[in-house]
Every structure is written in C-alpha cells, then in structure tokens.
Amino acid sequence: MKVRLLGIPIEDGAGRMGCEMGPSAYRTAGIVEAIAELDHEVEDLGNVTRGPLPTITPPHPHLRRLPEIAAWVGTVTEAAYRASDGALPVFLGGDHALAAGTVPGVARRAAEDGRPLFVLWLDAHTDFHTLDTTQSGNLHGTPVAYFTGAHGFHGCYPPLSHPVPPGNVTMVGIRSVDPAERRALSGSGVTVHDMRALDEHGVGSLVWRFLERVAAADGRLHVSLDVDFLDPSIAPGVGTTAPGGATFREAHLIMEMLHDSGLVSSIDLVELNPFLDERGRTATLMVDLLASLMGRTVMDRPTRSFAA
Ligand code: DIR
Ligand code: MN
Ligand code: MN
Ligand code: MN
C-alpha cells in the first residue's frame, strides 16, 4: 500500500503554541526513511495551507480561535478526502482539532467505497466537548463530538456529510475526562477503555476485541494517536501531559497488532509540541510507533489471522 504523508500545521486548537512545528519535527526525525525502509512506497505531499477565514458569530466568547479552526476543518476535510484516494494517508499534526477534518474526509472516502469507518482514539482525553460544553475554550477538545454528529457545531464548523456512528468509535488510554464529556459519553455508544480497564484486562485483549469487530464489519480503520496517550516520562513533547499513561511496551504492542490486522486505512499523529520536547525524543518515539504500525518487528512471527 502506498503511504501518503500530509503535514497539517495547526496549533490554534491547543492551549499553547508550538504544534505548528510538528510536521517539521517528524520529517527531521526521519519519518519518510522509516516508512520507506519497510518497503512501502512513500509520497510526502508537504503541508496543507488553511483556507480563508469564514465570518462566524461565536456562540460563546471564550471559544479560542473559532474562525481559524472552522477554516482548518473545511480545508483538512477536503485534503484528507483527496489524500485517501488509493493510498494510506498519515496526517502529521498539528493539534488534535485536525481530526475534525481528517475523520470526516476519510469517512466520505469510506462511504463512497461502500465500507463502514471505525475510529481508534488513543488519547488521555476523550475530546468529546461541543462548542457549548468546553470550559477551556480549546477546540482540540471537540473533534470527536463533531465527527460523530453531535449537536452544537451548527453555523460554526462546516456541515458534516458523513458522521461516524458513535458505536464505531473506541477510545483507549483515557484518564482525563471533564464532567460534561462524561455525561455526554454515557449512553452515546462510544466505547471508552480508561486506564483502569487497561490495567485490569491488558491492552492486548481490549484492542484485539475491537479489531475483531472492525474485521467482522469489513470496516476501514482510522487511528488517531495523541502524544499524551503515552506516559509523560517517555513522551514529554506535548502541552497537555497527564500522568499514568501508556507505556512504551503497551504502545508498541498496539501498533504491532494494528499492523497484523491489516485494517488500518488512515492515521493521525497529533499534539506533538517540538518546543516542549527533549532533543526530539518524543518525535522519534512517535516515528518508531508508526514504524511498528507499518510492519517493523523485532523478529519474524506468524501473523494471527481474523475470522471475518
Ligand atoms: C480538556 C483537555 N478536556 C479541555 N482536552 C484536551 O480543554 O477541554 N487536551 N484535548 O489535550
Ligand atoms: Mn486529543
Ligand atoms: Mn490528549
Ligand atoms: Mn474541557
């Protein structure tokens, strides 16, 4: 499968600046070479440029950079749709607001190809706020509510052509949920595996169960990997660290299982803030995780197969 890299240098959704430098950091960390080494054809499309600012009347005064985010969402949706034509796109963030564009873009592609889209959300946070519930006003906390079709974005973010059914979304690594998100998630259909679930059942069995569901539905799978999914001790280059995150070994195991499944059709790498990183170690770890997802292994081993 051909791999397409697309940089999305958006930082308006995060509470602090720096994510704009993410795509450059991934390239400096050798992302092109790491994928090419695994015998994939790689095409780097460069970075997308945000379209013009729409005129929006913000429903609340504390929403930070709403016109900018709305413009990015439109631009990114179109770019993601195009990048997913006959290739596996890897979207290099940029903050997590970009998923309000990448997911709708690849959802449209999947729908046109007659396949259901599933989303694996690897994050400390659920990013399930609407424009009415966010308290911080940081719009990187809103993409999942938007792309699953929640109310509360009308007249601000672009109208959504292909919402992802909430039942197709599984979150892993969750350990920071605001009260309004928690209320909205209960009964939403979204599967939330918090850190308690990971500790109790092990990340392998939780992810395996989800992959079996995707395979049984003949689905496509979008993976959205937020740097803060990882424990801050191994991934300091992010503005919203939360203690008690996924370990190096848990993260690589998930990536290797995703590779074995053969189901992944698009990927976000988000929230890397190179200004906060320690000599590129977080960027390098993210590239290594992507390489595991793309087939890098320690030893050859037989692939577990799916009964789809
Ligand atoms: C918090 C933090 N729930 C907020 N969110 C995110 O600001 O709404 N941090 N996404 O990375
Ligand atoms: Mn996030
Ligand atoms: Mn997060
Ligand atoms: Mn919040």
Side-chain angles (χ1 to χ4, degrees), residues 213-287:
R213 271 181 54 214
V214 180
D218 193 24
R220 289 212 177 136
L221 178 56
H222 177 85
V223 177
S224 202
L225 173 60
D226 184 322
V227 169
D228 68 36
F229 168 70
L230 304 162
D231 192 80
S233 62
I234 56 167
V238 61
T240 51
T241 51
T247 66
F248 185 92
R249 287 164 57 172
E250 287 171 328
H252 273 287
L253 174 60
I254 295 174
M255 297 301 132
E256 294 189 18
M257 292 175 70
L258 288 170
H259 174 261
D260 290 358
S261 78
L263 295 166
V264 177
S265 51
S266 47
I267 302 164
D268 302 323
L269 303 179
V270 300
E271 295 284 338
L272 174 67
N273 186 331
F275 191 75
L276 305 174
D277 203 1
E278 295 166 3
R279 291 178 163 261
R281 74 181 276 218
T282 307
T284 301
L285 174 56
M286 291 289 278
V287 169

Side-chain angles (χ1 to χ4, degrees), residues 129 134-136 178:
H129 276 296
T134 172
Q135 285 175 286
S136 68
D178 295 330

Side-chain angles (χ1 to χ4, degrees), residues 20-291:
E20 188 193 43
M21 297 181 279
S24 305
Y26 288 125
R27 294 187 180 103
T28 304
I31 195 166
V32 173
E33 297 76 5
I35 299 167
E37 202 167 274
L38 297 162
D39 289 329
H40 298 289
E41 188 190 335
V42 196
E43 181 186 10
D44 187 350
L45 300 176
N47 293 353
V48 289
T49 310
R50 170 173 70 59
L53 292 183
T55 311
I56 288 175
T57 315
H60 307 285
H62 70 296
L63 298 175
R64 296 185 63 247
R65 304 199 183 269
L66 180 59
E68 285 83 355
I69 297 298
W72 273 115
V73 170
T75 302
V76 172
T77 301
E78 192 54 38
Y81 171 71
R82 275 185 273 113
S84 57
D85 188 7
L88 187 157
V90 180
F91 304 109
L92 310 177
D95 72 66
H96 222 161
L98 69 84
T102 57
V103 175
V106 300
R108 177 179 164 201
R109 175 68 58 197
E112 287 180 5
D113 293 345
R115 308 272 298 277
L117 183 73
F118 289 76
V119 175
L120 180 62
W121 195 262
L122 302 172
D123 200 331
H125 310 91
T126 54
D127 297 347
F128 207 64
H129 276 296
T130 68
L131 301 184
D132 297 320
T133 67
T134 172
Q135 285 175 286
S136 68
N138 296 330
L139 296 176
H140 68 170
T142 64
V144 185
Y146 171 67
F147 71 63
T148 54
H151 297 291
F153 296 95
H154 183 75
C156 296
Y157 290 11
L160 192 63
S161 68
H162 296 86
V164 177
N168 288 11
V169 180
T170 289
M171 301 182 167
V172 174
I174 301 302
R175 55 200 187 277
S176 172
V177 186
D178 295 330
E181 293 179 290
R182 193 170 157 142
R183 279 193 298 274
L185 281 162
S186 91
S188 68
V190 173
T191 301
V192 182
H193 296 307
D194 61 8
M195 290 314 291
R196 161 73 191 266
L198 258 67
D199 290 340
E200 195 167 340
H201 304 290
V203 85
S205 85
L206 295 177
V207 171
W208 190 255
R209 256 196 279 159
F210 171 64
L211 291 173
E212 281 184 326
R213 271 181 54 214
V214 180
D218 193 24
R220 289 212 177 136
L221 178 56
H222 177 85
V223 177
S224 202
L225 173 60
D226 184 322
V227 169
D228 68 36
F229 168 70
L230 304 162
D231 192 80
S233 62
I234 56 167
V238 61
T240 51
T241 51
T247 66
F248 185 92
R249 287 164 57 172
E250 287 171 328
H252 273 287
L253 174 60
I254 295 174
M255 297 301 132
E256 294 189 18
M257 292 175 70
L258 288 170
H259 174 261
D260 290 358
S261 78
L263 295 166
V264 177
S265 51
S266 47
I267 302 164
D268 302 323
L269 303 179
V270 300
E271 295 284 338
L272 174 67
N273 186 331
F275 191 75
L276 305 174
D277 203 1
E278 295 166 3
R279 291 178 163 261
R281 74 181 276 218
T282 307
T284 301
L285 174 56
M286 291 289 278
V287 169
D288 283 335
L289 288 170
L290 180 69

